[in-house]
Amino acid sequence: MRLCGVGDNVVDRYLHLDCMFPGGNALNVAVFARRAGAEAGYIGIIGDDVSGTVVRKALIAEKVEITRLRVNESFNAFSQIGIDRDGNRYFIGSTPPPYRLRLDREDLAYVASYDVVHTGDYGQVEGQLAELSAAARLSFDFGSKLADYAEPLLPHIRIATFSGSGLDDAGVLALIRWAQARGPDTVIVTRGAAGSTIAVGEAIHHEPAVPVTVTDSLGAGDAYTATAVVALGEGASLPEAAHRAAAAAGEVCTRLGAFGHGAPMAPLPVIATTD
């Protein structure tokens, strides 16, 4: 099983701890797929600053292929993170990168060597989903963005992930069938402590969350998606894939950062503004 993450990466700056961790949906999914036993690659852009170096070193340490990684002469994208008393992370603010990923023919040829390519609503490659879908089985994380954003993209996508916090069981089922009617055969809906639901065709399975003492929930959904996609790709049953995914997500919640590799906080970049 081979999976390539395409798109976003950040450093998550934990202000109360004066440290930062590499992250971002596409990057996290690549790392967690590698930890789940897949061969993994990542295509994206990092800055040439201290934060970008932290991201690059983490990918190398995690044995994620970075042949197509770009380095831009700029700061790396970052988010400012806080943690509430229950361990749930919240975003204080974020600064997007001063660059935008555009996939070229070499990137698309590289992606075609993988079984699955994963991106999401922060990946900035929505305009190239048709090309990605033609190259490999396409997985997309919509987060909490639903109909207006998702509907035009779904015909290109085979595996769709949604954050369903606040939905009841009937709402989850309605979301799954709505999405499947527009393209994906596989739909994942995560609901934090309320568990998760995966549908593959007509088959559907609900998996309870693994009880853990939550330190930091950042990255748990990405671990779930990556682990489920790898397990299903390797032929696991739907209940087994969901069980593995829930265990991976639970483990992430017990420690800080999406997948570790923390570093001392770098100074904030000086960002030019125009009047």
Side-chain angles (χ1 to χ4, degrees):
M1 171 67 183
R2 287 169 52 80
L3 181 147
C4 184
V6 174
D8 61 313
N9 72 82
V10 298
V11 287
D12 293 312
R13 298 168 56 92
Y14 286 64
L15 302 184
H16 63 302
L17 299 174
D18 198 31
C19 69
M20 59 186 183
F21 295 87
N25 174 257
L27 182 139
N28 288 345
V29 169
V31 169
F32 288 125
R34 179 73 181 87
R35 290 187 176 185
E39 296 179 31
Y42 173 71
I43 302 176
I45 307 174
I46 59 174
D48 65 352
D49 58 356
V50 173
S51 297
T53 299
V54 168
V55 172
R56 183 176 180 276
K57 286 183 175 179
L59 287 167
I60 292 170
E62 293 288 338
K63 297 181 171 58
V64 174
E65 169 63 49
I66 56 172
T67 302
R68 306 300 301 171
L69 183 69
R70 281 86 142 159
V71 181
N72 195 69
E73 294 182 0
S74 65
F75 66 87
N76 203 87
F78 62 91
S79 296
Q80 310 275 59
I81 303 295
I83 304 290
D84 67 22
R85 66 181 60 188
D86 297 319
N88 295 309
R89 60 97 174 97
Y90 60 92
F91 291 98
I92 298 169
S94 62
T95 300
Y99 42 77
R100 190 176 184 91
L101 179 64
R102 285 290 179 265
L103 303 171
D104 58 27
R105 284 182 293 181
E106 288 77 14
D107 293 326
L108 294 169
Y110 174 79
V111 164
S113 70
Y114 285 85
D115 301 301
V116 174
V117 57
H118 175 88
T119 189
D121 58 334
Y122 289 102
Q124 298 187 329
V125 293
E126 289 93 337
Q128 295 189 274
L129 293 188
E131 295 168 283
L132 285 170
S133 184
R137 185 167 165 80
L138 180 56
S139 168
F140 196 99
D141 192 325
F142 289 94
S144 58
K145 294 177 181 175
L146 298 181
D148 290 346
Y149 175 78
E151 189 157 17
L153 306 182
L154 285 168
H156 303 297
I157 294 162
R158 304 280 70 80
I159 305 166
T161 298
F162 296 91
S163 174
S165 298
L167 293 179
D168 59 15
D169 292 346
V172 170
L173 180 59
L175 172 59
I176 287 171
R177 298 312 184 201
W178 175 85
Q180 285 182 321
R182 286 156 178 79
D185 52 75
T186 301
V187 179
I188 299 168
V189 181
T190 59
R191 288 192 287 168
S196 57
T197 305
I198 308 180
V200 179
E202 290 299 314
I204 190 165
H205 174 80
H206 176 75
E207 183 72 19
V210 175
V212 297
T213 299
V214 177
T215 298
D216 177 12
S217 62
L218 186 65
D222 299 336
Y224 189 101
T225 296
T227 306
V229 169
V230 170
L232 291 170
E234 293 178 343
S237 68
L238 188 50
E240 175 62 21
H243 181 72
R244 290 187 204 173
E251 193 275 330
V252 168
C253 291
T254 64
R255 51 178 167 71
L256 290 170
F259 59 91
H261 301 279
M265 187 92 78
L268 282 171
V270 176
I271 301 172
T273 59
T274 57
D275 295 330

